[in-house]
Amino acid sequence: MGRYVLRRLVQSVPLLLGISVIVFAILKAVPGGPLALYESTPGITDEDIRRLEHSFGLDQPLPVQYVTWLGKFVTGDWGYSLVQHQPVLSLILERLPNTLYLMGTVFVAVLILAIPIGTITAVRQYSLLDHAVTGATFAFLSTPTFWLGLLLIIVFGLDLRWLPLGGMATAGLPFDLGDRIRHLILPATTIALVQLGARVRYLRASMLETIGLDYMRTARAKGLAESAIVIRHALKNAAIPLVTIIALDIPELFIGALVTEQIFGWPGIGRLFWDAATRTDYPILMAVLAVSSALVILGNLIADVAYGYLDPRIRYA
Amino acid sequence: MAGQAVAVAVPPAVERQRGQWRLAFERFRAHRPALAGIAVIALLAFFVVAVPVLSPYDAESPKLLEIFEPPSLAHPMGTDSLGRDLATRILYGGRVSLAVGLLAVAVAITVGTLVGMTAGFYGGWVDTVLMRTVDLVYSIPSLFLLILLGVYFRGLSVAAIILVLGLLRWMTTARLVRAQFLSLKEREFVEAARCVGARDLRIIVRHLLPNSLAPIIVTATLGVAGAIIAESTLSFLGLGIQPPTPSWGNMLMDATQDMEMAPWTAIFPGFFIFVAVVSINFVGDGLRDALDPRHVVRKEQ
């Protein structure tokens, strides 16, 4: 096991390097070059631009620039935002709690709901409840997130006026838990409904597969109570693939839901990326892309390792 | 809705090739949601094509005296902030959204199949290089890349949008086709073909590809649904199809300004995305059950 983890870690290195090359290429692909923002500054001379180029190291050969950038990035020096003139790292750390707060709530809520719903629909396959839930999950899987968000705003924000339309808190109000929660409900529900559809479908299928196995019949033959069979025997095994899916979701916690954050004016990482993209604030773009890609690789690694740990039938050569 | 599974008969060996496709067709015909999906898509396609004949309104030119009219007989889905008939715009937008979805998947499937079959057939370092590239593209969140490309090349042409969407979605197909080729190329019928002197290209085109077709068809179908959502997301963010050309996504972007006064401008375009995507997903589900009997057997247990 330890050797497998080590080998997988070593294997991710070339992948990470590949990502760093792509991220670096994105900097080079900024329309008008990395200094485009400065060139539009009034009163700037060619001489100033050349001096800036020199101070940023842009007059050096590409491989040198790449290695310099990579060295700085790995040691946590992510540069400064071109627009907000603050260290990129502190800007990201400033937004991270907001995204974790939103996505963490979604994550927990989806898990709490998906496990019982997936289990019950599998145990009562083809019942009225099963058909209703399967239909609903299919519908939510096919709904564009941003439309769902708009519908929720129309119904609960504009029509019924129960909940705020956006933001994280009422402006000018000192910290108030109730107010925070009221702002959280709509964006969290939007993301959760779409995710819940996928999770329930997955768990139901996995449960159905497990229920058909021989050891389930043995458990029944032993005279165990049905609830014990379902929870202790079936769910325990059926949930293994769910762990994989959860691990694969780790990057989501960081990336957040860009579109949902956009609709609800939620100041998270997704919004940070969006604002940086529209203003070609490339130090932020590079950092967010690099971190999220690295998290995708980490999520994959954890998923594989967890799977092997939980399911002894899987052997790694 | 998963209840329409059909017992899988083993076809007689002689008739195997043709028989399998016929059996698949029979299974598909028994899948009621998939049939309903096809019917809805056909209906939608008809309206989208026939809209110039059906609608007396223009999709792009403003009519300032008819702003924000709620749904009525004259305007079944109301009008927007420029007085344009929403139903007409939705149908014209459907042309764009459906065509972009279909063509983007065509790009994705072509690239994915080419990469997958090269990797699977030749193996070795070719396989390693290609599949690590797949891993690489997979690791970068595609919405981020989509937004960057959209911002960098602001006002992408429709052809460019198709290309970008396609090039961000080929990896699944590549992995799938590679896996198929890896297992198929060891089978006896391939060895037999090689023994009678068939060249690589002939083995790929005549033997391996036709036998990999089923999973490709399923991914392609489900891919169209995904591509429609991706296009509408891009246009919703203002980076896709540019107004005044309507697309379901950019109509919803406009609607975010008008939701309070005219909620119908947000409800109807999204509803059409939803209906199109649900229908296509149903067809994809039906195709999967029909083409992959093992899948149905698993479901039945």
Side-chain angles (χ1 to χ4, degrees):
Chain A
M1 196 72 203
R3 270 175 58 195
Y4 173 73
V5 176
L6 198 70
R7 213 186 63 210
R8 283 296 314 264
L9 274 173
V10 172
Q11 276 174 354
S12 349
V13 172
L15 209 53
L16 285 167
L17 281 176
I19 285 168
S20 74
V21 171
I22 291 182
V23 170
F24 184 72
I26 283 166
L27 157 91
K28 290 289 142 197
V30 176
L35 294 179
L37 205 70
Y38 292 99
E39 272 161 28
S40 53
T41 314
I44 200 161
T45 62
D46 281 358
E47 186 64 27
D48 296 332
I49 292 282
R50 217 148 297 130
R51 225 182 0 254
L52 275 171
E53 256 172 15
H54 184 72
S55 70
F56 284 126
L58 291 170
D59 48 357
Q60 292 185 338
L62 271 185
V64 178
Q65 287 186 39
Y66 167 72
V67 171
T68 318
W69 168 75
L70 189 63
K72 280 186 175 171
F73 194 85
V74 171
T75 51
D77 178 3
W78 296 356
Y80 284 79
S81 158
L82 298 183
V83 179
Q84 305 183 58
H85 306 293
Q86 285 178 49
V88 171
L89 187 59
S90 70
L91 282 173
I92 288 180
L93 290 178
E94 193 184 298
R95 299 293 188 96
L96 193 57
N98 300 346
T99 290
L100 287 179
Y101 167 53
L102 174 63
M103 297 309 291
T105 309
V106 170
F107 186 81
V108 173
V110 166
L111 214 56
I112 290 176
L113 290 170
I115 291 177
I117 297 178
T119 311
I120 293 169
T121 49
V123 173
R124 305 245 176 285
Q125 196 188 7
Y126 302 141
S127 66
L128 198 64
L129 180 77
D130 180 35
H131 282 303
V133 169
T134 316
T137 54
F138 208 91
F140 281 123
L141 273 177
S142 307
T143 310
T145 326
F146 54 94
W147 185 55
L148 191 60
L150 295 183
L151 288 186
L152 291 177
I153 291 182
I154 290 176
V155 175
F156 296 101
L158 294 170
D159 222 37
L160 298 170
R161 297 192 179 280
W162 286 354
L163 292 163
L165 304 177
M168 261 184 74
T170 308
L173 204 72
F175 183 83
D176 176 56
L177 188 65
D179 182 62
R180 287 293 172 115
I181 292 175
R182 275 160 38 82
H183 279 84
L184 180 66
I185 293 175
L186 287 187
T189 309
T190 307
I191 310 169
L193 281 177
V194 176
Q195 279 196 6
L196 189 62
R199 292 290 176 285
V200 167
R201 262 172 86 85
Y202 203 82
L203 193 66
R204 177 178 175 274
S206 170
M207 226 14 214
L208 282 177
E209 207 168 325
T210 316
I211 286 175
L213 295 178
D214 286 343
Y215 79 94
M216 290 295 292
R217 202 168 39 212
T218 312
R220 275 210 187 84
K222 283 199 300 186
L224 288 177
E226 192 63 25
S227 63
I229 296 174
V230 169
I231 296 170
R232 294 274 308 276
H233 292 248
L235 186 59
K236 219 168 135 189
N237 279 308
I240 293 176
L242 196 68
V243 173
T244 326
I245 296 286
I246 290 170
L248 292 177
D249 259 0
I250 290 172
E252 288 274 292
L253 287 176
F254 171 76
I255 300 166
L258 191 143
V259 179
T260 311
E261 286 187 358
Q262 194 63 14
I263 296 173
F264 289 97
W266 191 271
I269 301 277
R271 280 278 297 223
L272 183 71
F273 184 86
W274 172 257
D275 291 341
T278 47
R279 295 182 237 164
T280 51
D281 193 349
Y282 63 83
I284 292 182
L285 297 178
M286 293 168 79
V288 174
L289 259 183
V291 173
S292 50
S293 308
L295 284 175
V296 173
I297 294 174
L298 183 74
N300 274 311
L301 182 72
I302 294 179
D304 285 357
V305 172
Y307 202 72
Y309 182 73
L310 292 171
D311 191 341
R313 283 169 301 183
I314 299 194
R315 292 275 185 103
Y316 297 107
Chain B
M1 68 194 45
Q4 285 75 34
V6 173
V8 181
V10 180
V14 194
E15 226 199 332
R16 199 170 180 126
Q17 268 308 323
R18 210 184 309 148
Q20 264 185 0
W21 287 103
R22 227 203 53 221
L23 273 171
F25 179 68
E26 299 282 309
R27 281 194 294 266
F28 185 76
R29 249 187 15 192
H31 196 287
R32 270 176 298 171
L35 291 185
I38 288 211
V40 172
I41 294 165
L43 202 67
L44 196 60
F46 167 76
F47 275 109
V48 157
V49 172
V51 57
V53 186
L54 295 173
S55 162
Y57 304 107
D58 186 87
E60 293 179 16
S61 53
K63 260 193 185 165
L64 297 176
L65 291 175
E66 294 173 18
I67 285 173
F68 289 144
E69 284 189 16
S72 64
L73 270 180
H75 299 287
M77 297 178 196
T79 62
D80 69 1
S81 60
L82 295 173
R84 299 171 297 193
D85 180 59
L86 210 65
T88 307
R89 280 180 65 73
I90 285 176
L91 291 181
Y92 276 106
R95 290 180 165 194
V96 178
S97 296
L98 294 176
V100 169
L102 277 173
L103 292 172
V105 166
V107 172
I109 293 289
T110 310
V111 175
T113 306
L114 284 176
V115 171
M117 71 189 200
T118 312
F121 190 77
Y122 292 105
W125 65 269
V126 179
D127 182 33
T128 310
V129 169
L130 288 175
M131 290 338 271
R132 289 299 82 75
T133 313
V134 168
D135 291 346
L136 195 64
V137 186
Y138 246 129
S139 305
I140 302 175
S142 64
L143 184 61
F144 284 2
L145 271 188
L146 204 57
I147 287 172
L148 274 185
L149 291 169
V151 171
Y152 278 16
F153 309 100
R154 204 173 273 282
L156 286 173
S157 68
V158 178
I161 291 171
I162 291 168
L163 212 61
V164 167
L165 286 177
L167 290 180
L168 288 178
R169 311 178 68 83
W170 56 274
M171 297 87 71
T172 320
T173 319
R175 281 189 179 166
L176 209 82
V177 173
R178 171 180 176 268
Q180 284 283 325
F181 268 48
L182 275 182
S183 76
L184 285 173
K185 75 174 177 186
E186 306 295 340
R187 300 267 285 273
E188 290 87 351
F189 69 91
V190 176
E191 215 164 308
R194 218 181 268 292
C195 287
V196 296
R199 285 171 196 281
D200 285 359
L201 193 66
R202 185 181 166 84
I203 291 177
I204 291 177
V205 175
R206 291 296 300 268
H207 297 278
L208 296 177
L209 214 47
N211 279 299
S212 314
L213 221 50
I216 297 179
I217 292 173
V218 175
T219 344
T221 313
L222 295 172
V224 174
I228 289 176
I229 291 196
E231 181 276 318
S232 61
T233 306
L234 197 63
S235 298
F236 175 74
L237 292 170
L239 301 173
I241 309 291
Q242 297 300 314
T245 305
S247 92
W248 291 338
N250 72 26
M251 293 179 72
L252 280 170
M253 175 183 69
D254 289 344
T256 53
Q257 310 294 322
D258 315 327
M259 270 189 315
E260 188 156 16
M261 226 196 291
W264 56 87
T265 56
I267 293 169
F268 289 116
F271 182 71
F272 273 78
I273 303 178
F274 171 72
V275 167
V277 171
V278 161
S279 311
I280 295 169
N281 276 337
F282 273 142
V283 176
D285 229 31
L287 282 173
R288 182 165 50 205
D289 287 358
L291 293 171
D292 182 4
R294 276 167 307 168
H295 186 76
V296 179
V297 173
R298 258 204 319 272
K299 266 186 171 173
E300 281 300 281
Q301 281 181 345

